[in-house]
Amino acid sequence: MADCIFCKIIARQIPSQIVYEDEQAVAFKDVSPQAPTHLLIVPRKHVAGLSACGDEDQALLGHLQRVAASVAAKAGVASGYRLVTNNGRSAGQSVDHLHYHLLGGRSLQWPPG
Ligand code: AMP
């Protein structure tokens, strides 16, 4: 999608710190980290968010979670991390390209704000 910042990162049209990529997914460092480890796991396919996914995305969604677990292990936070997606403005979504935040490296509070 032409004006999507994450599509531009995936296409390497703007710089980012990519830590993992495969044919379906890319993981890169969040530019405004909220924890010592803060990665974003995104599909190459542009889809606006979790609620925009359809039955055809079921395998992709599973893959993104497998990628998250793998990059968590590579980042050294496998013993404790949080994987979260914000869906909709009221939940804090600011980029309309499906992404999972992977947060780790510090104690995480519950419930989140
Ligand atoms: P959300 O608010 O859940 O939609 O998350 C969007 C995330 O994207 C935020 O945590 C931002 O800090 C992050 N972000 C925005 N632009 C960039 C960028 N160019 N590179 C890396 N992370 C970004």
Side-chain angles (χ1 to χ4, degrees):
M1 196 176 182
D3 61 349
C4 171
I5 191 165
F6 287 176
C7 284
K8 289 179 179 173
I9 286 173
I10 292 163
R12 287 184 157 78
Q13 292 171 352
I14 63 171
S16 69
Q17 290 184 271
I18 292 174
V19 299
Y20 174 85
E21 61 182 324
D22 62 27
E23 65 282 354
Q24 296 181 81
V26 177
F28 53 90
K29 294 185 180 182
D30 195 295
V31 76
S32 178
Q34 302 301 308
T37 295
H38 187 172
L39 303 174
L40 299 172
I41 297 98
V42 309
R44 289 187 184 276
K45 171 185 174 180
H46 180 89
V47 56
L50 188 56
S51 286
C53 292
D55 289 344
E56 69 280 11
D57 297 311
Q58 185 163 323
L60 175 62
L61 291 168
H63 181 70
L64 293 171
Q65 293 201 44
R66 293 283 293 148
V67 168
S70 176
V71 296
K74 285 180 186 157
V77 298
S79 64
Y81 62 88
R82 183 170 294 161
L83 187 67
V84 63
T85 188
N86 297 323
N87 188 90
R89 291 289 176 270
S90 65
Q93 184 176 8
S94 61
V95 177
D96 291 334
H97 182 127
L98 175 64
H99 53 283
Y100 286 94
H101 296 259
L102 172 65
L103 298 150
R106 67 169 171 82
S107 180
L108 298 167
Q109 304 304 307
W110 192 264

